[in-house]
């Protein structure tokens, strides 16, 4: 009976740890580390807009995964703790990928300002008139004091895409030059040449304030950054720690006693999640046992110092320094925690990193093909096996594919022009490459395919057979007959 009770308690502890870490890795879009100068810059702009009624505009530029959106969220969260941000300002967020024109953007602005009833059935002549009316609705009181507006434009460069007028950007930047309504416009983009995309009238209204956020700006190396993130994101603060407790005797009392004081003094603040993130779940994290948490934090430190883990992290550094990709890896790792596997296995972390970067581009590219295109690759692979690696043209590949399609009644009949188009797409993706001659009397870049009809140009596979095997194994919704066709021996 006692064993079952202890097992139930342990299971509950593992569930709480898993849930807390998932919140920390996935849902925590408020906590921001490093780049103090850039954060203070944005903080001062927004605070002066809300507190002093000033108007500002700025561009936040940095590569994907560098933390641009998290920086803005952390500034808004910090300001909400210091001033009455909810009543003194309205935050409106637009995305260039979603709000493809001014009408859609206006509807979103109206909805986020909660002014649908004020607009009603009114008809406005221009975008500027509509925006001016919305900002006028924010004025209240005898002195007609206006609430500040914080406008965040995600994917700002998409508002400058060719074929689209920049009326939205022009009017928003124009408002920052007037004293009618305080507004802070922050454009978020990953393009360094975004200013070249602006029209002249937009440039004239913009403040030309650029804030750059680079992932490797810190003094630490990418490997040290990943190791620090691993410890930070997977560690848990000690909750409900008594004021002072004599640590129980463990198998290694000297080491545990050294860590005990460090955990009790630092971890509560260092590894904590903001309160508003914790309110998203009904879990009672006060039930976490401090001893279990301390053991877990020590375990995470030991994982981060494992030589194999360090090699895997170093491998990841060569492929990307995107923090979001690393968080996705940690989320998969945390999801594997269970009653039978209460601790993180370094082998799992290494395997997830390998699955993220090792298949590389070729396998992922093959898995993104259509069923027809993958069938042509299989037909070409079988043909090259039969003819000892000799190159093949479209007619030879078509013959093998047609032979397979006729033998399987469930395979949909595809017209020849469609098959030819799919074959040309494989060439454009460089999955198949034209055969290059070595004795050409023309230029060095000349190929045998440049002087014959496209149906008879000779091609060879540029992707190793091993990558094709991996792609077929992991191809989603692959028909069974195609899988059998690939695995059967060629006669």
């Amino acid at each position: 009976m006692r064993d079952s009770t202890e097992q139930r308690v342990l299971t509950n502890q593992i569930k709480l740890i898993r849930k807390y870490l998932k919140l920390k890795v996935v849902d925590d879009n408020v906590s921001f580390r490093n780049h103090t100068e850039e954060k203070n810059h944005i903080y001062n702009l927004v605070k002066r807009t809300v507190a002093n009624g000033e108007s500002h505009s700025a561009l936040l530029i940095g590569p994907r995964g560098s933390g641009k959106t998290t920086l803005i969220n952390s500034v808004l969260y910090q300001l909400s703790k210091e001033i009455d941000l909810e009543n003194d300002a309205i935050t409106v967020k637009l995305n260039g990928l979603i709000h493809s024109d001014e009408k859609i953007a206006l509807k979103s602005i109206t909805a986020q300002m909660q002014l649908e009833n004020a607009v009603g059935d009114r008809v406005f002549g221009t975008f500027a008139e509509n925006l001016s009316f919305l900002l006028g609705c924010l004025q209240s009181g005898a002195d007609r004091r206006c609430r500040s507006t914080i406008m965040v434009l995600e994917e700002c460069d998409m508002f400058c895409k060719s074929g689209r007028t920049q009326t939205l950007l022009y009017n928003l930047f124009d408002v920052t030059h007037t004293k009618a309504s305080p507004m802070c416009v922050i454009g978020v983009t990953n393009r360094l040449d975004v200013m070249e995309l602006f029209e002249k009238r937009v440039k004239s209204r913009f403040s030309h304030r650029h804030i750059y956020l680079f992932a490797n700006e810190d003094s630490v190396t990418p490997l040290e950054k990943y190791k620090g993130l691993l410890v930070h994101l997977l560690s848990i603060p000690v909750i409900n720690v008594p004021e002072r407790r004599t640590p129980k005797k463990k198998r290694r009392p000297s080491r545990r006693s050294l860590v005990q004081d460090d955990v009790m003094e630092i971890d509560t603040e260092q590894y904590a999640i903001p309160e508003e993130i914790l309110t998203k779940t009904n879990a009672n994290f006060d039930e976490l046992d401090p001893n279990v948490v301390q053991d877990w934090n020590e375990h995470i430190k030991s994982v981060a110092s494992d030589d194999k883990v360090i090699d895997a992290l170093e491998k990841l550094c060569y492929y990307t320094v995107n923090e979001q990709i690393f968080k996705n890896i940690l989320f998969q790792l945390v999801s594997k925690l269970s009653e039978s596997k209460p601790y993180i296995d370094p082998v799992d972390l290494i395997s997830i990193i390998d699955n993220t970067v090792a298949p590389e581009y070729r396998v992922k590219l093959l898995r993104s093909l259509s069923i027809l295109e993958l069938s042509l690759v299989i037909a070409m692979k079988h043909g090259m096996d039969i003819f000892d690696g000799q190159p093949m043209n479209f007619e030879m590949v078509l013959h093998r594919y047609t032979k397979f399609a006729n033998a399987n009644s469930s395979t949909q009949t595809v017209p020849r022009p469609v098959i030819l188009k799919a074959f040309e797409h494989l060439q454009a993706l460089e999955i198949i490459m034209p055969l290059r001659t070595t004795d050409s009397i023309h230029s060095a870049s000349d190929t045998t395919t440049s002087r014959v009809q496209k149906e008879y140009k000779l091609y060879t596979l540029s992707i190793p057979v091993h990558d094709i095997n991996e792609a077929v194994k992991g191809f989603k919704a692959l028909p069974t007959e195609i899988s059998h066709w690939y695995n059967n021996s060629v006669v």
Side-chain angles (χ1 to χ4, degrees):
M1 185 68 180
R2 181 180 178 183
D3 293 340
S4 61
T5 303
E6 292 179 354
Q7 190 68 28
R8 190 163 55 249
V9 172
L10 179 60
T11 303
N12 183 54
Q13 294 291 309
I14 295 172
K15 287 182 178 179
L16 289 175
I17 288 176
R18 187 173 60 219
K19 186 169 291 187
Y20 189 92
L21 293 178
K22 283 184 177 181
L23 283 174
K24 192 173 184 180
V25 173
V26 178
D27 292 334
D28 186 7
N29 61 347
V30 173
S31 300
F32 186 78
R33 299 173 301 277
N34 304 324
H35 301 288
T36 306
E37 183 178 350
E38 291 82 359
K39 181 179 178 180
N40 289 337
H41 199 160
I42 296 290
Y43 171 82
N44 291 330
L45 290 179
V46 178
K47 186 174 182 179
R48 283 156 58 186
T49 299
V50 178
N52 303 334
E54 301 177 6
S55 293
H56 299 283
S57 59
L59 281 176
L60 184 58
I61 304 173
R64 298 193 185 279
S66 58
K68 301 183 293 295
T69 304
T70 305
L71 184 149
I72 295 176
N73 291 336
S74 66
V75 167
L76 296 176
Y77 177 74
Q78 183 179 348
L79 281 172
S80 66
K81 299 298 182 183
E82 300 175 1
I83 57 180
D84 190 4
L85 190 63
E86 184 176 352
N87 294 322
D88 292 342
I90 290 180
T91 302
V92 178
K93 296 183 179 181
L94 301 178
N95 193 304
L97 296 173
I98 300 174
H99 306 98
S100 54
D101 58 44
E102 283 74 23
K103 292 182 179 180
I104 298 176
L106 265 177
K107 287 183 180 180
S108 181
I109 293 173
T110 305
Q112 293 184 56
M113 287 183 171
Q114 299 179 355
L115 294 175
E116 297 95 328
N117 295 333
V119 174
D121 297 330
R122 291 175 181 267
V123 178
F124 299 95
T126 62
F127 179 91
E129 292 178 5
N130 199 337
L131 182 62
S132 177
F133 175 79
L134 293 176
L135 296 176
C137 292
L138 301 179
Q139 296 179 354
S140 61
D143 57 352
R144 303 295 290 166
R145 184 168 178 264
C146 188
R147 296 171 66 183
S148 302
T149 305
I150 303 169
M151 192 74 63
V152 180
L153 306 178
E154 297 280 356
E155 304 291 344
C156 184
D157 56 283
M158 296 302 294
F159 291 104
C160 313
K161 196 173 181 180
S162 59
R164 292 176 56 178
T165 60
Q166 299 182 14
T167 307
L168 172 67
L169 294 176
Y170 172 76
N171 283 278
L172 290 179
F173 289 149
D174 186 57
V175 171
T176 62
H177 282 266
T178 64
K179 298 181 180 180
S181 177
M183 177 181 290
C184 182
V185 181
I186 302 176
V188 180
T189 180
N190 65 324
R191 293 193 57 168
L192 294 173
D193 61 342
V194 64
M195 283 299 297
E196 299 177 9
L197 305 177
F198 286 167
E199 297 174 353
K200 288 184 178 180
R201 59 172 186 161
V202 176
K203 290 181 180 179
S204 66
R205 296 297 189 273
F206 180 54
S207 66
H208 294 269
R209 184 183 287 108
H210 300 85
I211 303 171
Y212 294 96
L213 203 67
F214 296 111
N216 288 336
E217 190 174 357
D218 306 320
S219 58
V220 297
T221 61
L223 178 59
E224 292 297 326
K225 174 186 173 182
Y226 276 147
K227 287 173 62 178
L229 274 176
L230 178 65
V231 174
H232 180 85
L233 293 176
L234 296 187
S235 297
I236 302 176
V238 179
I239 305 172
N240 257 357
V241 179
E243 294 181 359
R244 197 62 180 172
R245 241 180 359 151
T246 302
K248 298 180 181 179
K249 289 186 177 181
K250 301 290 179 181
R251 293 182 180 178
R252 292 175 293 177
S254 58
R255 179 182 174 187
R256 289 303 306 273
S257 60
L258 290 174
V259 180
Q260 187 81 12
D261 293 336
D262 177 63
V263 171
M264 283 193 176
E265 293 177 4
I266 298 176
D267 286 3
T268 303
E269 294 295 333
Q270 186 178 3
Y271 303 133
I273 301 178
E275 189 65 29
E276 70 174 18
I277 306 298
L278 290 177
T279 55
K280 293 182 179 181
T281 180
N282 296 325
N284 185 13
F285 294 112
D286 290 338
E287 296 179 359
L288 277 170
D289 185 3
N291 289 327
V292 174
V293 171
Q294 291 175 30
D295 288 338
W296 174 266
N297 291 342
E298 286 183 39
H299 166 67
I300 295 301
K301 292 178 182 178
S302 65
V303 170
S305 60
D306 188 284
D307 291 337
K308 295 182 179 178
V309 171
I310 293 175
D311 291 340
L313 294 179
E314 188 173 8
K315 178 180 180 180
L316 181 64
C317 292
Y318 288 115
Y319 285 88
T320 179
V321 291
N322 191 324
E323 186 174 319
Q324 186 58 51
I325 293 178
F326 187 60
K327 284 186 175 181
N328 294 339
I329 292 173
L330 296 184
F331 178 78
Q332 298 178 56
L333 191 64
V334 171
S335 300
K336 292 179 177 291
L337 294 177
S338 62
E339 183 179 342
S340 59
K341 188 182 289 187
Y343 290 102
I344 288 177
D345 189 352
V347 176
D348 289 337
L349 176 59
I350 297 170
S351 175
I352 294 173
I353 292 178
D354 287 341
N355 290 334
T356 303
V357 299
E360 299 190 15
Y361 176 72
R362 295 189 300 265
V363 176
K364 293 181 180 179
L365 181 63
L366 287 172
R367 289 176 181 173
S368 67
L369 298 177
S370 65
I371 300 297
L372 173 61
E373 291 166 346
L374 183 63
S375 299
L376 295 180
V377 172
I378 295 174
M380 190 168 184
K381 185 256 183 188
H382 283 338
M384 293 182 67
D385 288 344
I386 293 174
F387 297 108
D388 297 327
Q390 292 298 315
M392 300 179 65
N393 59 30
F394 170 73
E395 294 294 340
M396 299 169 68
V397 175
L398 177 63
H399 172 73
R400 296 211 59 83
Y401 172 73
T402 306
K403 184 178 179 181
F404 160 73
N406 293 336
N408 293 271
S409 58
S410 60
T411 304
Q412 184 179 4
T413 304
V414 183
R416 176 190 172 94
V418 177
I419 300 177
L420 179 59
K421 193 68 177 178
F423 191 80
E424 292 175 346
H425 186 228
L426 293 178
Q427 181 188 1
L429 295 175
E430 297 185 353
I431 293 176
I432 59 175
M433 297 290 289
L435 184 66
R436 188 176 299 277
T437 59
T438 57
D439 56 348
S440 176
I441 61 176
H442 301 280
S443 63
S445 61
D446 190 22
T447 64
T448 57
T449 63
S450 62
R451 299 184 303 278
V452 297
Q453 295 180 2
K454 59 183 178 181
E455 290 88 347
Y456 300 100
K457 296 175 183 178
L458 293 176
Y459 293 90
T460 183
L461 277 173
S462 62
I463 291 182
V465 176
H466 174 73
D467 288 343
I468 301 178
N469 293 338
E470 293 296 322
V472 171
K473 288 179 183 178
F475 200 97
K476 294 182 179 179
L478 183 68
T480 307
E481 57 268 16
I482 294 181
S483 180
H484 287 311
W485 177 40
Y486 178 79
N487 293 318
N488 288 344
S489 59
V490 182
V491 293

